[in-house]
């Protein structure tokens, strides 16, 4: 299988695709995200691991401003989108969401719309594409995820794996700089997990910049350029897969890995 390039070789001469500095998020008296710094070079695939309650999904939702961070900075390439003195929340959030594609664990498809309609909705109304161009692009992305024959189907007629692949096509149709995946296989029956992971692996091989919150340890080990372990809202460990799984300094990470299978992903 083709591996992602080493981190230092991903984007020579280019600014990082995404840079996060000192990100914090609190709910009431509980600090859920506690000062995370993270850089994703262009073409990087960063898998984010951690136990339930470690802040993984909240961190991802903060990146897309589905949860508004309490403090910190978010940069897309050379643009400071969140945290700068000149940022205007509504305008900057709209800018951010056009460039960060989000794939949710629960699909979030419109049940009353066909697969094709689900994919063209945002490109038409957010990107301003003409309908014909939006349809052409949607058909391209549906073919890319292996669902050309489902363009006229409704979500209720699809399996969970097919729904998630539609959700990926919908995210790709917005032509994002970075794709965010929040536990993309957690809602799927075990026999459907592979079809979604194979699509994500193909995107990694295409050089897509991606952050993937996942519990699929073997997949993270094979596909990632970097693996991050969150614990109590902080980054406890981060490294290339070879170092992350073989030379960890964190007792908490060793405990986590011992309780999670790491079978290779086929």
């Amino acid at each position: 299988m083709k591996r992602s390039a080493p981190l230092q070789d991903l984007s020579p001469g280019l600014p990082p695709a995404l840079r996060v500095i000192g990100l914090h998020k609190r709910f009431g008296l509980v600090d859920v995200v506690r000062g995370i710094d993270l850089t994703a070079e262009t073409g990087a695939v960063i898998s984010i691991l951690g136990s339930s309650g470690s802040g993984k999904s909240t961190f991802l939702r903060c990146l897309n401003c589905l949860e508004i961070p309490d403090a910190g900075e978010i940069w897309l390439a050379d643009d400071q989108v969140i945290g700068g003195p000149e940022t205007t929340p509504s305008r900057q959030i709209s800018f951010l969401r056009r460039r960060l594609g989000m794939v949710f664990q629960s699909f979030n498809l419109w049940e009353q719309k066909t697969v094709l309609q689900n994919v063209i909705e945002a490109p038409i109304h957010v990107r301003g594409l003409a309908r014909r161009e939006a349809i052409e692009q949607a058909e391209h992305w549906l073919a890319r995820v292996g669902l050309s024959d489902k363009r006229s189907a409704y979500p209720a007629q699809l399996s969970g794996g097919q729904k998630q692949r539609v959700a990926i096509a919908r995210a790709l149709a917005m032509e994002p700089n970075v794709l965010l995946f929040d536990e993309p296989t957690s809602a799927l029956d075990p026999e459907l997990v592979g079809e979604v992971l194979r699509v994500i692996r193909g995107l990694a091989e295409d050089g897509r910049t991606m952050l993937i919150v996942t519990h699929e340890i073997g997949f993270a080990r094979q596909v990632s350029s970097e693996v991050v372990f969150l614990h109590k809202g902080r980054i406890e460990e981060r490294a290339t897969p070879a170092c992350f799984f073989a030379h960890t300094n964190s007792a908490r990470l060793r405990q986590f890995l011992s309780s999670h299978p790491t079978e290779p992903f086929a």
Side-chain angles (χ1 to χ4, degrees), residues 15-21 73-84 87 91-92 95-96 98-100 177:
L18 174 69
R19 187 154 50 102
V20 181
I21 303 171
E73 301 174 13
I74 299 175
W75 293 70
L76 287 173
D78 288 324
D79 296 311
Q80 185 174 6
V81 186
I82 299 296
T87 59
R91 181 180 176 186
Q92 296 306 107
F95 176 90
L96 187 72
R98 287 197 304 270
R99 288 158 178 79
L100 290 178
N177 299 83

Side-chain angles (χ1 to χ4, degrees), residues 162-224:
Q162 290 170 333
K163 290 179 184 179
Q164 193 60 291
R165 285 187 281 152
V166 173
I168 294 171
R170 181 179 60 182
L172 289 167
M174 287 296 290
E175 297 189 348
N177 299 83
V178 181
L179 275 172
L180 309 175
F181 291 87
D182 185 12
E183 295 277 13
T185 61
S186 65
L188 302 181
D189 294 332
E191 65 270 19
L192 301 177
V193 168
E195 65 187 63
V196 173
L197 295 182
R198 281 187 286 274
V199 168
I200 298 173
R201 182 170 68 182
L203 296 174
E205 293 173 353
D206 290 345
R208 287 270 170 184
T209 308
M210 299 187 287
L211 272 63
I212 308 170
V213 169
T214 183
H215 60 275
E216 302 289 345
I217 309 299
F219 177 78
R221 187 170 194 161
Q222 291 187 17
V223 173
S224 308

